[in-house]
């Protein structure tokens, strides 16, 4: 709707003046109206007002002027900040949707009083809730602290292959501490021979054997651990579920024998070294050989070892193991003592001792028989690598007889070789049976003494000890028989 005064000018020009003049007056009036947009005009709706104006309270006013209340809907783009809650593990980037309140400025068109629709752009701030997903390392994995419900293990790093994966899950073939973080260990897929229990709640320490570890008596470990080269390792007695033998079970995580490190075992219990990782026995020795004392697990002179003691003026027989002991030397018409016979001793049987040498006719004692070699078992859940001569279970040499006023005793028999059992997930074993050879028989005495028989070494065809040699002249004695060879058994786990 045009302003009243503009209509009046138009009608006056049309009715009282010629048409060209009327049009000129109308154009002048229109220019004047546009030059003065602020002049009020009467309206009924926004259609009666010029562009850029709207109808408010019966008058045309420019858009942006006036007061009023209303509700409007609009779409807009903007940037905002908000706080939200989300689910997910790790650090990452995520997208979320949220509801929020914001303020903005915009332009729009609408109809009616107080109501309108419009589109606009604006900036605002709001709060909302959203969910997001991201990729990355789980928070806390690798810090050594077990997050219950989120981690199966936490060994303090995020590497693979050590039992606890980079996502803190237990890897196949490993065990890890329950309820706490810590180092994991391998588990035995198959129980080692005779051992009843290999389960653990934590990882035993590594044993780096680079010193002279001395000698451990397998009968004297009562505190639950043994100290070897300054390292305390779990150790305790068990009874073999395979054959009833008494065992001392020592547990380590990884075993490394190097730099001429060595450790000897004595006592009646058979030492069993359980390695829950890898064992490398390269430069040094684990030894249950007999000397002045029997090696751990060596057999006593029971019924199965009888028969080696020499009679008067005869040498003692060699001790038996897998191979039979040699016969002691004889003098005159008297035979030497027979070697003890093997009795299928099994995979963890020590050797039999050699028989004592016979006395001279006046009672001068013969030499003592050598102790049989001991027995040892080493089982590794991972790799077991054993260099030549690095594990030993040899029989002891027989003793020489005594001398008294020109009278001489006869040589004792050598001890039988012991046994070695090696088990591993993978095996690299270079041992030969010289590690379980029988002891040599004791030498005779006097100017024409006979030599003791050689113990079987497992390299020569015979597994039996050699017979002792008789004396070759008067006032001399003969030697004892050599001990039989022992056994080396290897088997995978």
């Amino acid at each position: 709707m045009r302003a009243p005064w503009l209509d009046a000018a138009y009608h006056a020009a049309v009715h009282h003046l010629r048409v060209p003049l009327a049009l000129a007056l109308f154009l002048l009036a229109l220019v004047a109206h546009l030059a003065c947009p602020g002049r009020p005009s009467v309206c009924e709706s926004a259609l009666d007002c010029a562009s850029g104006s709207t109808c408010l309270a019966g008058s045309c006013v420019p858009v942006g002027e006036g007061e009023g209340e209303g509700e409007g809907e609009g779409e807009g783009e903007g940037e905002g900040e908000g706080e939200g809650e989300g689910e997910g593990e790790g650090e990452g980037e995520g997208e979320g949707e949220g509801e929020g309140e914001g303020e903005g400025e915009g332009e729009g068109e609408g109809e009616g009083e107080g109501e309108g629709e419009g589109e606009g752009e604006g900036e605002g701030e709001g709060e909302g809730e959203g969910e997001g997903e991201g990729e990355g390392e789980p928070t806390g994995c690798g810090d050594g602290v077990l997050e219950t419900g989120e981690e199966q293990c936490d060994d303090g790093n995020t590497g693979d292959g050590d039992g606890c994966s980079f996502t803190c899950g237990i890897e196949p073939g490993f065990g890890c501490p329950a309820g706490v973080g810590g180092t994991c260990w391998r588990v035995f897929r198959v129980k080692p021979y005779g051992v009843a229990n290999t389960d653990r709640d934590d990882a035993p320490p590594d044993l780096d054997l680079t010193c002279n570890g001395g000698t451990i008596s397998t009968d004297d470990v009562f505190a639950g651990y043994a100290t070897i080269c300054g390292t305390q390792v779990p150790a305790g007695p068990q009874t073999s579920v395979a054959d009833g033998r008494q065992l001392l079970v020592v547990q380590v995580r990884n075993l490394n024998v190097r730099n001429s490190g060595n450790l000897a075992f004595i006592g009646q219990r058979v030492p069993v070294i359980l390695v829950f990782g890898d064992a490398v026995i390269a430069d040094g020795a684990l030894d249950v050989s007999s000397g002045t004392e029997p090696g751990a697990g060596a057999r006593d002179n029971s019924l199965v070892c009888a028969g080696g003691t020499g009679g008067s003026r005869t040498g003692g027989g060699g001790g038996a193991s897998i191979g039979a002991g040699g016969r002691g030397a004889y003098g005159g018409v008297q035979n030497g003592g027979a070697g003890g016979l093997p009795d299928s001793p099994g995979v963890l049987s020590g050797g039999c001792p050699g028989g004592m040498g016979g006395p001279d006719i006046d009672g001068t004692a013969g030499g003592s028989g050598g102790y049989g070699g001991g027995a040892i078992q080493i089982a590794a859940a991972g790799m077991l690598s054993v260099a030549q001569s690095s594990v030993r279970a040899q029989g002891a040499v027989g003793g020489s007889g005594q001398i008294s006023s020109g009278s001489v005793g006869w040589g004792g028999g050598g001890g039988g070789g012991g046994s070695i059992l090696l088990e591993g997930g993978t095996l690299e074993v270079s041992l030969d049976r010289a590690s379980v050879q029988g002891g040599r028989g004791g030498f005779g005495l006097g100017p024409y003494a006979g030599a003791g028989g050689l113990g079987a070494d497992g390299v020569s065809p015979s597994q039996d000890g050699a017979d002792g040699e008789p004396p070759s002249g008067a006032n001399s004695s003969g030697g004892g028989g050599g001990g039989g060879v022992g056994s080396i058994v290897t088997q995978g786990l």
Side-chain angles (χ1 to χ4, degrees):
M1 180 177 183
R2 293 180 296 275
W5 60 272
L6 183 59
D7 289 337
Y10 175 79
H11 289 290
V14 172
H15 294 288
H16 301 288
L17 300 174
R18 292 169 25 171
V19 173
L21 180 60
L23 291 176
L25 291 175
F26 173 77
L27 293 175
L28 288 174
L30 179 61
V31 170
H33 170 68
L34 294 176
C36 301
R39 178 172 294 181
S41 61
V42 179
C43 62
E44 294 180 356
S45 70
L47 297 176
D48 298 330
C49 300
S51 176
S53 299
T54 188
C55 185
L56 181 63
S59 300
C60 292
V61 297
V63 174
E65 291 187 1
E67 298 179 356
E69 298 179 358
E71 298 179 357
E73 299 179 356
E75 298 180 356
E77 298 179 358
E79 298 179 357
E81 298 179 358
E83 298 179 358
E85 298 179 357
E87 299 179 357
E89 295 182 358
E91 298 178 358
E93 297 180 359
E95 298 180 0
E97 298 179 2
E99 299 177 1
E101 299 177 0
E103 298 178 359
E105 297 178 1
E107 296 180 0
E109 296 181 1
E111 296 180 2
E113 296 181 3
E115 297 180 358
E117 299 179 356
E119 298 180 356
E121 298 180 356
E123 298 180 357
E125 297 180 358
E127 296 181 354
E129 297 181 357
E131 296 181 357
E133 297 181 356
E135 295 182 355
E137 294 181 356
T139 303
C141 180
D143 62 4
V145 179
L146 185 69
E147 300 292 339
T148 304
E150 298 180 6
E151 300 174 344
Q152 294 179 334
C153 58
D154 198 320
D155 59 356
N157 66 75
T158 55
D160 287 331
D162 58 1
C164 189
S165 70
F166 82 102
T167 57
C168 286
I170 298 177
E171 297 178 301
F174 286 86
C176 299
V180 295
T183 303
C184 301
W185 60 93
R186 288 188 183 275
V187 295
F188 287 92
R189 295 184 298 273
V190 178
K191 298 289 186 183
Y193 175 83
V195 179
N197 183 20
T198 60
D199 297 334
R200 291 198 58 85
D201 295 327
D202 59 358
D206 293 336
L207 178 57
D208 194 16
L209 184 60
T210 59
C211 71
N212 181 355
T215 300
I216 292 178
S217 172
T218 60
D219 300 327
D220 296 337
V221 179
F222 303 111
Y225 63 86
T227 301
I228 304 173
C229 291
T231 301
Q232 287 188 348
V233 296
Q238 286 191 27
T239 299
S240 172
V241 296
D243 52 30
R245 285 185 173 87
Q246 296 301 303
L247 313 174
L248 174 70
V249 179
V250 179
Q251 302 183 32
V252 300
R253 184 183 181 199
N254 294 295
L255 173 64
N256 192 3
V257 181
R258 58 191 179 89
N259 295 345
S260 300
N262 63 86
L263 180 65
F265 295 92
I266 61 173
Q268 294 183 350
R269 293 182 178 274
V270 174
V272 178
I273 302 177
L274 295 184
V275 183
F276 288 80
D278 299 325
V280 179
I281 308 172
D283 179 19
L286 298 175
D287 205 337
V288 291
S289 298
S290 294
T292 57
E293 294 184 86
R299 306 181 77 162
D300 59 13
N301 195 8
S302 61
L303 292 178
V304 295
C305 293
T309 299
S312 177
R313 301 188 69 184
T314 59
S321 186
I322 296 299
R327 296 172 62 89
Y330 63 92
V333 296
Q334 298 164 316
N335 293 325
L341 299 177
D343 66 323
S344 301
V347 294
L348 274 180
S349 175
C352 288
M356 187 171 181
D360 204 343
I361 55 176
D362 62 358
T364 301
S368 61
Y371 294 113
I376 187 171
Q377 177 181 358
I378 305 170
M383 177 189 67
L384 175 57
S385 176
V386 182
Q388 186 170 351
S389 302
S390 61
V391 181
R392 297 192 287 262
Q394 298 171 341
V397 299
S400 298
Q402 298 179 1
I403 299 179
S404 177
S405 302
S407 179
V408 291
W410 290 57
S419 61
I420 298 172
L421 172 60
L422 303 174
E423 301 173 290
T426 57
L427 292 166
E428 298 177 3
V429 178
S430 300
L431 287 183
D432 57 40
R433 295 182 72 185
S435 292
V436 290
Q437 70 183 22
R440 182 167 185 164
F443 279 66
L445 297 174
Y448 305 102
L454 293 175
D457 59 8
V459 178
S460 58
S462 175
Q463 299 184 30
D464 301 337
D467 296 341
E469 297 179 1
S472 59
N475 300 320
S476 298
S477 60
V485 73
S487 64
I488 298 175
V489 177
T490 59
Q491 58 188 28
L493 289 176

